[in-house]
Amino acid sequence: METTSRCSPQDHLVIIGNGMASHRLLEQVVEAPNRPARISVIGAEASPAYNRILLSPLLSGELQPDALSLRSASWYAERGITLHLGERVTHIDRGLQRVVTSQRTLAFDQLVIATGSRPALPDVPGMALEGVHGFRTLEDADTLADIATRGGQCVVIGGGLLGLEAAEGLRKRGADVYVIQRGTQLMNRQLDDTAARLLEATLAKRGLTIHTQAQLSHLEDDGHGHVAAVVLTDGRRLPAQSVVVAAGITPNAELGAEAGLETRRAILVDNTLATSDPRIHALGECCQFEQHTYGLVEPIWRQVEVLADALCGKGRARYREAPTATKLKISGIALYAFGPTEASAEHEVLSYHDPESGDYRRLLLRNGRLEGAVLYGDTRTGPWYFAKALAGTDLTACRQALLFGEADANALLDPDNAPSPSTTLEAA
């Protein structure tokens, strides 16, 4: 797929979705010299765009709802953006170039689909019962906070980033929380075994009950259509007044598929974020580039740069995949990871572990270049490691110092610019 179609000042740009990706795109488009005069945004939620990354501290009570707001409704109006909130698009008519919502019909010259995703529900009986929740929206966070403050038992399905953040938030609000992880360890896509065990021990000390290698059998009905328990395939029964599903996401790609756009797991896009129809682009969690779909913000922010250029720039920017780093957003737990979780035969492994301080670092190098890192406890060097990995820097000269700090490693990499003893003393 390839597109040369770009907005002109006379065009009407319609964006379906008012999440973080859509909002970041708007911030760039409205600053473009040849931005479209007419921009309409349709959002299914009742509130303007907010920072979903902060839903976890909101649930735990560390933040108030207004801290999540990205812009007020007046910001949109002042920039000539028409905002339709609390509406769902029901149909895209590509022939007539219009979108139909529950309340109106809008013609478009250029269309962006940024409909995000929803929780992936395990295929087991009982998932439709009352008391089963996701954790994706402000409404979800409000609901879960209310449930937790009333106490009782909650089961979180999923031991990844979102599941652990939801579980800790529920615990801090007063719930008795169980976490079910299908794999052998928590955050199996980001952590090695040692870091996962450290994380599990820390969360267990806080009061979370964690079950790994736990396979769901079904959710038990209380006889009135509400969930009463989670039953595992080994026969264990975990009583629960509420169940939170955080075991992956499903792209909201149905609108694109129904409109005849090319889809696989999500709406297929090329390296300019154009779909199989050059007048329509897709962005964020609802799109698929090559074999990749998305759930983290870093690649989506890079998509926004490309799409803004495609719509209002010179159309030269191209999207490409790049490594991303992971941080866990749980108060009091510092974790930073990127790259492979397991070492191959070609990797050199450097590791450091201080059990008393809970500090752990493991680096994976191939031919002197850093390919992966896991840091637990002291994560201050994480961004430096990540930058060196992205740059493909040969770290052979500082190999012995790599585990013990950025300053020592940099001094070996560039001895001519290393601080003198007097400079170091003054800085201290």
Side-chain angles (χ1 to χ4, degrees):
M1 294 178 290
E2 188 68 32
T3 180
T4 57
S5 182
R6 291 193 292 276
C7 287
S8 71
Q10 291 74 41
D11 281 346
H12 185 198
L13 171 63
V14 175
I15 302 176
I16 305 173
N18 187 220
M20 292 175 65
S22 167
H23 182 75
R24 194 173 180 100
L25 177 65
L26 283 171
E27 288 186 319
Q28 297 201 18
V29 166
V30 296
E31 297 299 325
N34 60 335
R35 57 152 283 178
R38 296 181 62 207
I39 302 175
S40 298
V41 180
I42 306 165
E45 294 187 61
S47 59
Y50 55 87
N51 189 342
R52 294 185 196 276
I53 296 173
L54 298 179
L55 284 174
S56 299
L58 174 68
L59 173 58
S60 67
E62 298 168 26
L63 292 178
Q64 295 301 310
D66 57 3
L68 278 67
S69 177
L70 293 174
R71 300 286 186 179
S72 66
S74 62
W75 180 88
Y76 297 85
E78 290 165 2
R79 285 154 183 81
I81 301 169
T82 303
L83 192 58
H84 303 287
L85 296 178
E87 293 187 31
R88 290 188 178 275
V89 173
T90 58
H91 178 61
I92 299 171
D93 188 327
R94 290 168 54 199
L96 296 177
Q97 289 186 229
R98 64 184 186 182
V99 296
V100 180
T101 81
S102 52
Q103 300 181 36
R104 71 192 78 245
T105 297
L106 291 175
F108 66 85
D109 297 291
Q110 293 287 307
L111 178 66
V112 174
I113 304 173
T115 45
S117 66
R118 59 188 182 276
L121 298 180
D123 186 18
V124 299
M127 279 292 158
L129 290 171
E130 291 291 324
V132 178
H133 307 278
F135 183 41
R136 302 287 296 169
T137 67
L138 276 175
E139 185 178 357
D140 290 337
D142 289 342
T143 298
L144 295 180
D146 182 59
I147 289 169
T149 54
R150 290 188 265 118
Q153 293 172 306
C154 295
V155 172
V156 176
I157 300 172
L161 277 170
L162 189 62
L164 295 180
E165 291 168 5
E168 177 66 357
L170 288 164
R171 183 198 66 80
K172 291 184 75 171
R173 289 278 192 172
D176 190 9
V177 184
Y178 298 81
V179 177
I180 297 174
Q181 168 70 339
R182 183 175 58 182
T184 58
Q185 65 181 53
L186 299 177
M187 292 182 63
N188 55 292
R189 294 185 178 180
Q190 293 89 17
L191 302 183
D192 66 353
D193 180 67
T194 301
R197 283 189 282 107
L198 289 169
L199 175 60
E200 182 174 346
T202 300
L203 294 173
K205 286 180 182 178
R206 294 186 175 193
L208 294 180
T209 302
I210 297 169
H211 299 280
T212 56
Q213 292 184 286
Q215 299 288 331
L216 280 175
S217 170
H218 62 278
L219 306 188
E220 193 176 285
D221 193 329
D222 69 351
H224 302 284
H226 196 281
V227 66
V230 172
V231 181
L232 305 181
T233 54
D234 62 10
R236 282 179 290 173
R237 181 182 181 275
L238 307 177
Q241 287 77 52
S242 299
V243 172
V244 180
V245 181
I249 57 176
T250 297
N252 291 327
E254 289 79 6
L255 272 177
E258 291 165 2
L261 300 176
E262 191 175 352
T263 60
R264 290 178 191 160
R265 287 179 293 151
I267 302 170
L268 283 175
V269 296
D270 65 11
N271 59 8
T272 66
L273 282 299
T275 69
S276 51
D277 184 330
R279 300 163 300 180
I280 302 176
H281 294 74
L283 172 69
E285 293 175 340
C286 69
C287 81
Q288 176 178 341
F289 173 67
E290 297 176 342
Q291 74 272 27
H292 306 283
T293 54
Y294 304 92
L296 299 174
V297 296
E298 283 187 43
I300 295 174
W301 287 174
R302 289 187 281 107
Q303 289 179 1
V304 166
E305 297 283 341
V306 172
L307 182 50
D309 181 66
L311 291 173
C312 302
K314 297 182 179 179
R316 295 174 182 169
R318 296 294 182 267
Y319 177 77
R320 63 179 181 83
E321 287 300 312
T324 58
T326 296
K327 300 176 187 177
L328 184 65
K329 297 178 290 298
I330 292 180
S331 178
I333 298 178
L335 186 156
Y336 190 99
F338 64 87
T341 58
E342 300 296 333
S344 71
E346 298 177 350
H347 281 125
E348 178 185 10
V349 181
L350 303 180
S351 64
Y352 167 82
H353 187 192
D354 182 352
E356 291 188 7
S357 67
D359 189 17
Y360 172 70
R361 289 162 236 159
R362 188 221 59 187
L363 308 178
L364 298 181
L365 292 97
R366 187 197 304 264
N367 300 324
R369 289 168 171 79
L370 187 60
E371 291 192 346
V374 174
L375 287 78
Y376 187 90
D378 184 354
T379 62
R380 289 173 294 178
T381 316
W384 184 83
Y385 287 141
F386 189 51
K388 295 302 179 187
L390 288 178
T393 304
D394 187 344
L395 301 172
T396 304
C398 65
R399 177 192 172 283
Q400 299 299 327
L402 267 180
L403 288 169
F404 302 104
E406 175 182 344
D408 289 344
N410 273 331
L412 291 172
L413 280 175
D414 190 5
D416 292 338
N417 291 321
S420 65
S422 60
T423 302
T424 304
L425 183 62
E426 291 170 6

